[in-house]
Amino acid sequence: MPSEPLSQKEIEDRLRELPGWAVEDDRIVRTYRLGTHVAAAAFVVHIAAVQDESNHHSELTLGYDTVRLSVNSHDAGDVVTDADFALAERVEALAPAHGAR
């Protein structure tokens, strides 16, 4: 069953609880900075494992010392849903262990 889209107000309210995250083109996005390329790659691998476990995947981009996530729900018509925020919250919980800021 597809997820229900969140309203713009719901998205804005939920973003207040996730510093660093923003809305861009019907997606929630965040870029993390890490100390090295290897640290960024390790963070990507950890995020990929969480995404597979939850069966919810973001656009995930690895830069030299950055990791960028861009997420929305394809099953709901490429809009933002609770599932996107659940993934963002899980990634936020992982970030400190990787030195991501």
Side-chain angles (χ1 to χ4, degrees):
M1 182 160 97
S3 303
E4 290 296 315
L6 297 176
S7 70
Q8 191 63 37
K9 178 165 180 2
E10 290 171 312
I11 293 168
E12 290 169 7
D13 290 345
R14 303 265 311 256
L15 283 173
R16 283 190 199 82
E17 299 169 22
L18 287 171
W21 287 82
V23 129
E24 289 179 10
D25 302 323
D26 293 324
R27 297 176 162 274
I28 56 172
V29 300
R30 168 126 194 222
T31 299
Y32 293 91
R33 286 197 147 303
L34 294 98
T36 66
H37 183 64
V38 172
F43 190 37
V44 165
V45 170
H46 201 165
I47 293 168
V50 165
Q51 291 181 143
D52 275 352
E53 178 185 297
S54 65
N55 195 30
H56 191 63
H57 301 83
S58 69
E59 297 290 325
L60 190 54
T61 306
L62 172 63
Y64 168 70
D65 63 352
T66 61
V67 173
R68 178 173 168 33
L69 281 88
S70 174
V71 63
N72 66 12
S73 294
H74 305 295
D75 68 343
D78 295 322
V79 295
V80 178
T81 69
D82 281 326
D84 304 312
F85 278 97
L87 178 59
E89 289 163 2
R90 288 194 67 188
V91 171
E92 281 294 305
L94 301 175
H98 289 274
R101 57 190 195 296

